[in-house]
């Protein structure tokens, strides 16, 4: 129900990083949500390639936007 959303709202961070090797996108999610996100990516973007990373440095955004669904 809508009134329970404020108790727990999962956070997903979509990050675009550019360096000498090209432009890369990173999707950061909590480990507890990893399998849900992988399933959604495979269902909606079957040709997308992804590689789970062992560790990622904390994001340092230059520009940030927040969306609420």
């Amino acid at each position: 129900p809508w009134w329970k959303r404020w108790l727990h709202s999962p956070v997903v961070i979509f990050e675009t990083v550019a360096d000498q090797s090209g432009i890369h996108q990173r999707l950061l999610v909590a480990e507890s949500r990893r399998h849900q996100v992988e399933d959604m990516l495979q269902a909606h973007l079957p040709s997308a390639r992804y590689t789970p990373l062992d560790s990622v440095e904390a994001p340092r955004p230059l520009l940030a936007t927040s969306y609420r669904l």
Side-chain angles (χ1 to χ4, degrees):
W2 66 269
W3 52 270
K4 286 188 176 182
R5 287 186 193 159
W6 67 274
L7 293 173
H8 177 70
S9 181
V11 175
V12 175
I13 299 172
F14 184 77
E15 184 177 55
T16 301
V17 179
D19 60 17
Q20 294 81 9
S21 64
I23 299 173
H24 310 280
Q25 288 78 28
R26 288 191 267 190
L27 185 65
L28 292 96
V29 297
E31 182 67 29
S32 61
R33 301 282 183 184
R34 176 181 168 195
H35 296 293
Q36 288 176 310
V37 172
E38 287 177 350
D39 291 344
M40 286 188 273
L41 283 172
Q42 290 173 354
H44 296 284
L45 300 169
S47 62
R49 293 173 289 159
Y50 65 92
T51 305
L53 302 174
D54 293 330
S55 64
V56 177
E57 64 183 57
R60 296 183 318 269
L62 300 175
L63 177 66
T65 303
S66 175
Y67 294 99
R68 182 176 297 210
L69 299 176

